[in-house]
Amino acid sequence: MDFKVADLSLAAFGRREIQLAEHEMPGLMAVRKEYADSQPLAGAKIMGSLHMTIQTAVLIETLVALGAEVRWVSCNIFSTQDHAAAAVVVGPEGTVEDPKGVPVFAWKGETLEEYWWCTEQALVWPGGDGPNMILDDGGDATLLVHKGVEYEKAGAVPGASEGDSEEWQVILELLRRTVGPDKRWTEIASRIKGVTEETTTGVHRLYEMFKAGSLLFPAINVNDSVTKSKFDNKYGCRHSVIDGLNRATDVLIGGKVAVVAGYGDVGKGCADALRGQGARVIVTEIDPICALQAAMDGFQVTTLDDVVGIADIFVTTTGNFDIITADHMSRMKHNAIVSNIGHFDNEIDMAGLAKIPGIVKTEVKPQVHTWAFPDGRQIIVLAEGRLMNLGCATGHPSFVMSNSFTNQVIAQIELFTKTEQYPVGVYVLPKHLDEKVARLHLDALGVKLTKLTKEQAEYIGVDVEGPYKADHYRY
Ligand code: NAI
């Protein structure tokens, strides 16, 4: 088996944590049981690009239990938990000397070159017969395949231009090495039946490609299952934003002024958590609806420019770019903590910060850096501007990820087994499956549902067994 992880000897530790996580992931375990005999993913060759954590290990082993062959990478250079990666490679039946699990190419602290090399390894299967499915988070695997096909069609990869980010230059370099007359990427794309996408940012990319007519295969938008975005993005971040801040800095949050940029699902979770710790939370928004929600939830809503000099903690949650600029950072208080929990690192202008004349970067510990300005003030930047809950802590806890990942497994089964029902486009799972995912998590929390009577069901115009809401209902 080919794989590349940090240290295979961490596998036993990883396995113990996977076993604990399985208990907290009732949705995934129920799906394993339900499909044990029918093996709906037999023949599926799934390339996964999603944070290689303990929770993801339970997802991977669920896909395998349903018959899939899998190769995996992380979708962020800092988010891999090395013991999880080792345990997945060794597998429940294997040993360090004789690994029998799943090929993983991921370790904590990859360089950008290594990150994209890993993504390539998981897309290029030995024997050249896979993958036929992608499970993506943020859309990097999907992007690489699409760019490869685009440049193979054009017959050349463009040269680097002035304003290109470092990461884009790395991607172009990889494509220059691999785009050729053998049309490797076109062949890879032709085998892929579809992609299931985990997060807001990746879903955004998919809709853009579909609109532009460049999407090459169908996609299921897992993010917009209610049991994903209204749970993982909100309650998951409510937990892990504090975990990230604590593990990185251990600063007391109570009494501090915290700015949350963006009041979507992630922003709502973060603002709630910071308030729960006793911070005075200020929200910034561009959308009048979300701004009004934040105001009615009791938060001050204003612009970053207004409060940049008084806040102690900054968290960006927008999925947009240039939210905190170098100029903002140069106006912050001494030891202000600057962090991002959105998918990509461009929410904070790290490149601009590095260019400030006389600025000095010092590593406090991995993924925590001070940046000192010539006047003696400094700020603390978490995870180099990448998502701090996965860079500085261990991401969301198992129970909430069980909701997200049960949607992922169901979406993979849908696309793989009913491919002809999904022409190229971007789809969300039907509501009855969303409700099923929620239902699978109720017992573990001791929830007792009220059952509709037949008459009540008729009165509100639904079926006794659901779905209980119209598709336009927003929760
Ligand atoms: P969303 O679309 O619900 O929320 C983003 C909010 O930011 C919107 O309300 C939007 O109006 C606002 N916004 C956009 N530009 C802004 C600006 N210039 N200033 C202030 N506000 C602005 O998206 P969601 O689901 O909350 O996701 C946000 C990001 O977090 C995405 O990149 C997503 O992929 C990522 N994510 C990260 C997770 C993690 O564990 N770190 C988990 C889930 C999502």
Side-chain angles (χ1 to χ4, degrees):
M1 184 185 15
D2 59 334
F3 64 87
K4 192 165 161 56
V5 298
D7 181 359
L8 221 48
S9 73
L10 298 172
F13 170 34
R15 183 56 49 192
R16 289 194 295 274
E17 287 215 329
I18 288 172
Q19 282 159 356
L20 292 180
E22 285 172 350
H23 179 70
E24 279 283 299
M25 303 187 87
L28 284 183
M29 300 315 276
V31 168
R32 278 191 203 181
K33 219 164 154 187
E34 180 179 347
Y35 293 108
D37 294 335
S38 60
Q39 295 285 293
L41 292 177
K45 296 172 194 294
I46 302 171
M47 182 278 181
S49 167
L50 193 153
H51 311 290
M52 184 55 259
T53 63
I54 289 291
Q55 292 69 34
T56 303
V58 183
L59 166 64
I60 293 171
E61 293 183 352
T62 303
L63 297 168
V64 172
L66 270 48
E69 269 180 72
V70 179
R71 281 167 86 82
W72 211 268
V73 294
S74 203
C75 62
N76 186 279
I77 59 172
F78 292 138
S79 64
T80 296
Q81 292 166 18
D82 289 323
H83 62 317
V88 169
V89 169
V90 168
E93 313 286 328
T95 61
V96 172
E97 294 71 36
D98 182 20
K100 292 201 169 98
V102 163
V104 174
F105 302 85
W107 57 95
K108 190 173 180 76
E110 296 157 2
T111 63
L112 286 173
E113 284 80 7
E114 289 167 341
Y115 172 81
W116 285 97
W117 175 85
C118 289
T119 306
E120 182 193 355
Q121 301 316 302
L123 279 167
V124 180
W125 286 42
D129 63 343
N132 54 23
M133 296 291 295
I134 294 178
L135 192 159
D136 218 351
D137 181 349
D140 278 352
T142 306
L143 173 97
L144 191 59
V145 174
H146 278 74
K147 285 293 163 194
V149 172
E150 182 185 329
Y151 299 147
E152 279 173 0
K153 256 193 206 143
V157 180
S161 41
E162 185 68 21
D164 283 350
S165 68
E166 190 193 341
E167 182 149 15
W168 182 238
Q169 290 180 33
V170 170
I171 298 170
L172 286 180
E173 194 47 50
L174 188 161
L175 288 168
R176 257 177 235 124
R177 178 166 54 73
T178 52
V179 163
D182 65 337
K183 299 241 190 277
R184 173 213 261 208
W185 294 106
T186 308
E187 213 178 285
I188 290 174
S190 71
R191 274 193 296 264
I192 292 172
K193 290 168 178 277
V195 54
T196 60
E197 169 55 53
E198 174 82 1
T199 199
T200 314
T201 287
V203 160
H204 179 72
R205 280 182 171 180
L206 288 169
Y207 285 112
E208 294 278 296
M209 283 195 277
F210 181 56
K211 218 164 69 192
S214 60
L215 186 63
L216 297 170
F217 33 75
I220 291 188
N221 162 0
V222 168
N223 182 69
D224 287 297
S225 285
V226 179
T227 47
K228 199 285 182 181
S229 50
K230 299 293 170 188
F231 289 80
D232 165 329
N233 304 25
K234 185 178 175 187
Y235 305 119
C237 288
R238 187 177 71 178
H239 175 103
S240 59
V241 70
I242 301 298
D243 198 11
L245 283 168
N246 284 349
R247 292 202 212 191
T249 68
D250 208 20
V251 74
L252 184 77
I253 298 168
K256 298 288 194 317
V257 176
V259 174
V260 174
Y263 201 68
D265 292 319
V266 171
K268 287 180 175 75
C270 292
D272 189 14
L274 289 160
R275 174 158 65 188
Q277 289 292 312
R280 182 156 73 82
V281 180
I282 300 170
V283 168
T284 73
E285 251 300 343
I286 47 123
D287 178 337
I289 297 176
C290 298
L292 189 60
Q293 282 181 313
M296 291 209 182
D297 284 338
F299 297 108
Q300 180 187 352
V301 184
T302 187
T303 63
L304 187 55
D305 277 316
D306 268 10
V307 290
V308 72
I310 61 151
D312 305 285
I313 299 169
F314 296 83
V315 185
T316 57
T317 79
T318 68
N320 202 343
F321 81 112
D322 262 357
I323 302 303
I324 298 183
T325 62
D327 175 55
H328 286 134
M329 289 185 271
S330 68
R331 288 189 277 141
M332 287 176 181
K333 276 166 73 169
H334 182 63
N335 279 355
I337 298 167
V338 181
S339 68
N340 162 47
I341 199 168
H343 192 80
F344 285 123
D345 60 341
N346 54 358
E347 299 209 21
I348 300 171
D349 182 13
M350 294 302 298
L353 180 66
K355 282 191 202 132
I356 292 179
I359 192 122
V360 178
K361 176 187 178 189
T362 307
E363 179 162 293
V364 179
K365 59 183 178 182
Q367 283 87 56
V368 181
H369 294 86
T370 55
W371 289 77
F373 299 99
D375 68 1
R377 271 174 323 110
Q378 64 180 20
I379 58 169
I380 304 168
V381 179
L382 306 193
E384 314 243 2
R386 293 168 195 274
L387 21 73
M388 53 85 97
N389 59 334
L390 282 139
C392 298
T394 50
H396 297 351
S398 302
F399 196 80
V400 85
M401 293 316 294
S402 180
N403 287 268
S404 310
F405 289 166
T406 305
N407 279 293
Q408 275 288 4
V409 175
I410 292 174
Q412 284 282 323
I413 296 173
E414 272 293 296
L415 265 187
F416 182 69
T417 59
K418 302 183 188 153
T419 315
E420 62 296 337
Q421 292 178 24
Y422 292 93
V424 175
V426 188
Y427 304 88
V428 287
L429 284 174
K431 195 168 286 291
H432 72 95
L433 293 178
D434 217 346
E435 289 178 356
K436 172 179 171 172
V437 173
R439 214 181 270 282
L440 290 174
H441 292 87
L442 297 181
D443 276 355
L445 299 180
V447 174
K448 214 167 156 188
L449 268 187
T450 302
K451 199 154 175 56
L452 274 177
T453 64
K454 199 168 156 293
E455 295 72 25
Q456 285 176 320
E458 271 166 22
Y459 187 74
I460 60 171
V462 301
D463 195 280
V464 171
E465 300 303 328
Y468 301 101
K469 299 285 193 292
D471 280 337
H472 57 257
Y473 186 80
R474 291 196 174 90
Y475 297 87

